[in-house]
Amino acid sequence: CLYLPIFYLGWNSFNAGETMNSFTGFSLRHFRELFSDTRLVIILLNTFLLAFLSALIATVIGTFGALFIYYLRKRRHRNTLLSLNNILIVSPDVTIGASFLILFITLGSIFSGFSLGFWTVLLAHVSFSIPIVVLMILPKLQEMNDSMITAGYDLGANNRQILKDIILPYLSPGIIAGYFMAFTYSLDDFAVTFFVTGNGFTTLSVEIYSRARRGVSLEINALSTLVFLFALVLVVGYYYISKDNQPRSKKKKRGLLR
């Protein structure tokens, strides 16, 4: 049932008519209108660029943040950092967006060249994506057998080799999952982005919201169909990447222990 509205939206993107009230015939006119809309295409590219960059930065920071939290010696400090990490996940998006807006306005009053735009949206997306990545990686760290690391040190491996040949290969499924989750959250975020975007930059969710207030055209249906197909490609790609990565990580661990 959850997929029926999506399929209905996609079916009507091929509608030759102007509305979803009735299907008058098969046509690609709305896809042609979509690609002829230069503003919407630029916004689409900017949205994907933002999602790729924010997910990449958040994955790098979140990976090392998870390692730092996991290897803290004092349990009290570890629980404190975990609680702080979860604040952005449980907090309402409106609260997060308003907080970032106040922060960026304050920075703009201090630094004359600082203004709302691409970089403020990127910083906001990285900030709320990091906790997601941390929570995706921590379970893999807890599952990891610490005797592999001890064996690596006994065989003369240094910290860099332990990280590169044992820890990161073992965590790679969690890292990949964290990246895809961060990418998805960034791609469809509206509430936070609505607060921190400027006049010169906008994302797909904000643009669709502004157009929906004037009535959604079937051009938006065509755009939503393409984004949904892209999401399916991501899911399939993630499945095969994680599937191929598990045997490689096991081979690397066995090779080091030999």
Side-chain angles (χ1 to χ4, degrees):
C1 293
L2 293 175
Y3 287 97
L4 287 178
I6 299 176
F7 292 144
Y8 180 73
L9 181 146
W11 171 254
N12 278 279
S13 65
F14 298 99
N15 190 354
E18 295 291 340
T19 66
M20 292 188 289
N21 295 332
S22 61
F23 192 87
T24 59
F26 184 87
S27 174
L28 296 176
R29 55 169 291 201
H30 301 295
F31 289 93
R32 290 193 293 268
E33 292 174 358
L34 168 64
F35 289 108
S36 64
D37 189 340
T38 305
R39 171 180 166 79
L40 194 57
V41 171
I42 292 175
I43 291 174
L44 177 63
L45 295 176
N46 285 339
T47 302
F48 277 99
L49 175 63
L50 175 70
F52 277 118
L53 286 178
S54 63
L56 179 62
I57 298 171
T59 301
V60 173
I61 298 175
T63 299
F64 288 98
L67 288 170
F68 179 77
I69 292 173
Y70 179 75
Y71 285 109
L72 274 176
R73 294 181 180 274
K74 293 186 177 180
R75 183 182 181 87
R76 183 181 63 182
H77 294 167
R78 185 164 61 249
N79 291 336
T80 300
L81 287 180
L82 277 174
S83 300
L84 292 174
N85 179 78
N86 295 336
I87 287 177
L88 285 176
I89 295 179
V90 299
S91 297
D93 288 344
V94 175
T95 303
I96 297 172
S99 301
F100 278 121
L101 178 60
I102 295 171
L103 172 63
F104 294 145
I105 290 176
T106 304
L107 292 176
S109 63
I110 299 174
F111 304 100
S112 57
F114 190 88
S115 61
L116 297 178
F118 174 80
W119 294 108
T120 56
V121 179
L122 178 64
L123 288 173
H125 282 216
V126 169
S127 299
F128 69 66
S129 297
I130 289 174
I132 300 169
V133 177
V134 171
L135 290 182
M136 297 299 292
I137 293 176
L138 276 177
K140 294 297 295 181
L141 276 169
Q142 294 166 354
E143 294 174 3
M144 185 172 62
N145 189 354
D146 291 335
S147 62
M148 296 187 301
I149 298 176
T150 304
Y153 282 124
D154 291 341
L155 293 172
N158 54 35
N159 290 334
R160 180 176 174 275
Q161 290 173 320
I162 293 294
L163 179 65
K164 180 174 69 72
D165 295 327
I166 296 180
I167 297 178
L168 291 182
Y170 189 88
L171 297 181
S172 55
I175 294 173
I176 295 171
Y179 178 86
F180 278 101
M181 288 293 293
F183 178 86
T184 303
Y185 270 74
S186 174
L187 191 63
D188 67 358
D189 178 76
F190 168 76
V192 177
T193 306
F194 183 77
F195 279 94
V196 299
T197 188
N199 293 328
F201 179 81
T202 188
T203 62
L204 198 57
S205 58
V206 177
E207 178 67 14
I208 291 176
Y209 170 76
S210 63
R211 294 194 181 199
R213 297 170 66 183
R214 303 190 300 267
V216 178
S217 66
L218 295 187
E219 180 183 344
I220 301 301
N221 283 44
L223 176 61
S224 301
T225 301
L226 293 178
V227 173
F228 177 71
L229 292 176
F230 180 79
L232 288 180
V233 172
L234 282 182
V235 171
V236 175
Y238 166 70
Y239 171 77
Y240 283 105
I241 290 173
S242 59
K243 182 179 178 181
D244 293 340
N245 192 68
Q246 289 178 356
R248 288 180 191 171
S249 61
K250 291 179 181 178
K251 288 180 183 178
K252 284 188 176 180
K253 286 184 287 185
R254 284 197 292 263
L256 182 63
L257 292 176
R258 286 175 185 172

